[in-house]
Amino acid sequence: MKIKVWDLPTRIFHWLLVLAYVGAYFTSESEWLLEYHAGAGYIALGLIMFRILWGFTGNRYARFSDFIRGWDEVKSYILRMLRSDIPRFLGHNPAVGWVVLFMLLITAVISLTGIVVYGGEEGRGIAAGFFTFKTAIIVRIIHLILADIAVVMIVTHISAALIHHFILKENIIYSMFTGYKEDMESWSERVSHMKAGEGLSVVRLVVGIFVAILGGLGLVYLPPEGKTDFSKEKMQVMDDKGFVVELKHNKKWVDECAKSCHIGFHPNLLPASSWEKLMSGLSDHFGEDVSLNENIQKEILDYLVSASAEHSVSEASKKLMYSIKDGDSPIKITDIPYWVKKHSEISDEVYKRKSIDSKSNCIACHSGSEIGSFEDRDIHIPKE
Amino acid sequence: MGQKIYFVLALAFVVLLLSNIADAGNLNAQMQSLMDKHMKDSGEKSFSAEEGGKLYYIKRMHSEKKEEISCISCHMDDPAKEGKTPVGKPIEPLSPAVNKGRFTDPEKVEKWFKRNCTGVFERECTPKEKGDFVTYMMSLQ
């Protein structure tokens, strides 16, 4: 006999949350998909709010009172599980009940921290204007760590569902679509020929969980290396009114600064005060006299200031600004604390490689450097 | 009819070839007037490719960098070769024999004379030195 366990709202909630997670995961790496990422986060938060209410007013198996049990029951379930004598529950078992609650809460916190970061870093979303950039940077770390934990949690959740389906012969996967499970009697009749723990050992369980965690970490830490086509990318800059507009390199800058002795160091790599200091000292420019006529010098300085780190929408610019002490105006990019820390693990040997040659050859590893793009996924360190 | 077209094309090719040969080793009008100005300022009767070559290869100790420096530190011992800036960026060959764009834009030539003479000799170059240098480079055909 079949018995209805998961009511329709609970099932719809479950699969919408799956979609929200999938959407958020695949839009998390790209700045350009950030709106969609944020959208998925808002949807997830709304779903969690619904699920919490439904936990009080849903059907029997959807209610917290059904699956949030005391420590004694949880302990007894875990002990029986360790002896491979796993009791069956129609709804959530006592151990997983707390995990479900944890999953709901962590999802809510991930969404909320995301909203804070979106408001603080991008100035967008319902929290725009409420949080500073500095707050957002710290909250972002929490957001990322929790998101990593969520990936591990999801992989474990799917593994557990597979264990229940294939090893314990309990049809919990289909039940999340149809809502129905076998009742206790027909199930125990069907699996009665199985000895307790048949097909399942603690070792397998441990191995399964271990693989699940490794798989989760793999998904998080092994994203595919990007191959951005920078000839097609457009540069962006924030104008004085705070609008993000397209940036085009100034022609004089290209001729004098990008086509002469060194690669073009993008204006977004130094704050305006640094560019002013640097451009007023061209007669001794890192030991060389590179004086320009007054008009060209002014035109280039104006360009540099209009696209300086303060006007940048890139993460690297914001972080290097954040690392520079108030009142400092470094003119050497490789002296900026953020640069130093970010490159601290790269040995001197790497800089000596033929295709790199010096620390100032940004473009050797950051193929988007001349358009001011330093995204992690585009870093490629040549082997020789 | 068809033969006529081939004849015109062949003629055009020959004219183009001849004009190129005639052009080789010669400065354009703008560069020539710069050279004339240097000639006048230096008070010389003619420029010396040999002197220009010496200037290109001469090594001297830089008072601040405390190292031996010369044109060839960056432009290599053969002007037809690709050079390298102090930060490792390639420099197109200086010799007009392999790099047609060299010594065609007086403004660019003067700009780099000013920078690089200061960089190597810690002073600006004299009109005679500039004239000799350009003459040397143009003789490398």
Side-chain angles (χ1 to χ4, degrees), chain A residues 255-256 258-264 287-292 357-358 360-361, chain B residues 62 64-65 69 84-90 107 111-112 114-116 118-119:
Chain A
D255 289 345
E256 300 293 345
K259 284 189 173 169
S260 307
C261 300
H262 51 65
I263 64 153
E288 304 291 328
D289 181 355
V290 294
S291 307
L292 293 168
D357 203 78
S358 94
S360 60
N361 193 13
Chain B
H62 193 282
E64 278 169 36
K65 290 174 189 159
I69 187 164
K84 206 172 166 192
T85 73
V87 293
K89 193 178 170 179
E107 210 173 301
K111 183 178 101 178
W112 286 101
K114 181 165 186 287
R115 284 187 184 175
N116 293 347
T118 322

Side-chain angles (χ1 to χ4, degrees), chain B residues 52 93 98 100 116 121 130:
Chain B
V98 291
K100 285 270 174 281
N116 293 347
F121 305 113
K130 293 183 196 175

Side-chain angles (χ1 to χ4, degrees), chain B residues 42-108:
Chain B
S42 66
E44 299 283 325
K45 291 271 179 321
S46 65
F47 289 127
S48 152
E50 196 188 333
E51 290 288 311
K54 277 188 200 157
L55 192 70
Y56 183 70
Y57 287 100
I58 195 166
K59 287 181 184 164
R60 69 178 289 274
M61 187 59 80
H62 193 282
S63 71
E64 278 169 36
K65 290 174 189 159
K66 302 283 177 228
E67 56 184 78
E68 248 187 12
I69 187 164
S70 67
C71 302
I72 65 173
S73 309
C74 298
H75 288 293
M76 304 296 141
D77 51 4
D78 175 1
K81 277 195 216 156
E82 193 174 74
K84 206 172 166 192
T85 73
V87 293
K89 193 178 170 179
I91 307 173
E92 286 178 25
L94 196 54
S95 165
V98 291
N99 188 354
K100 285 270 174 281
R102 290 297 191 189
F103 305 103
T104 56
D105 177 356
E107 210 173 301
K108 196 174 164 189

Side-chain angles (χ1 to χ4, degrees), chain A residues 42-163:
Chain A
Y42 281 114
I43 290 169
L45 186 62
L47 288 168
I48 300 302
M49 283 158 67
F50 157 77
R51 185 64 185 85
I52 288 171
L53 293 174
W54 203 242
F56 294 102
T57 57
N59 85 347
R60 178 184 157 186
Y61 297 103
R63 292 190 183 199
F64 294 124
S65 56
D66 178 69
F67 60 83
I68 301 297
R69 304 294 178 86
W71 171 237
D72 288 343
E73 278 180 75
V74 175
K75 193 170 86 177
S76 110
Y77 183 87
I78 292 172
L79 288 175
R80 284 185 67 183
M81 188 177 83
L82 292 176
R83 289 196 301 267
S84 298
D85 174 25
I86 303 176
R88 184 178 187 243
F89 285 81
L90 271 175
H92 297 302
N93 68 55
V96 92
W98 287 98
V99 176
V100 168
L101 189 64
F102 174 76
M103 285 161 82
L104 295 177
L105 293 180
I106 197 177
T107 307
V109 178
I110 292 171
S111 304
L112 290 170
T113 50
I115 288 168
V116 172
V117 177
Y118 201 46
E121 273 193 16
E122 311 283 332
R124 286 191 259 172
I126 52 171
F130 286 103
F131 299 97
T132 64
F133 186 74
K134 290 184 181 188
T135 310
I137 286 184
I138 296 160
V139 175
R140 184 196 192 106
I141 296 168
I142 301 171
H143 182 73
L144 294 177
I145 292 172
L146 292 180
D148 284 4
I149 294 173
V151 172
V152 175
M153 181 187 86
I154 288 164
V155 175
T156 312
H157 172 69
I158 294 169
S159 307
L162 294 173
I163 288 172

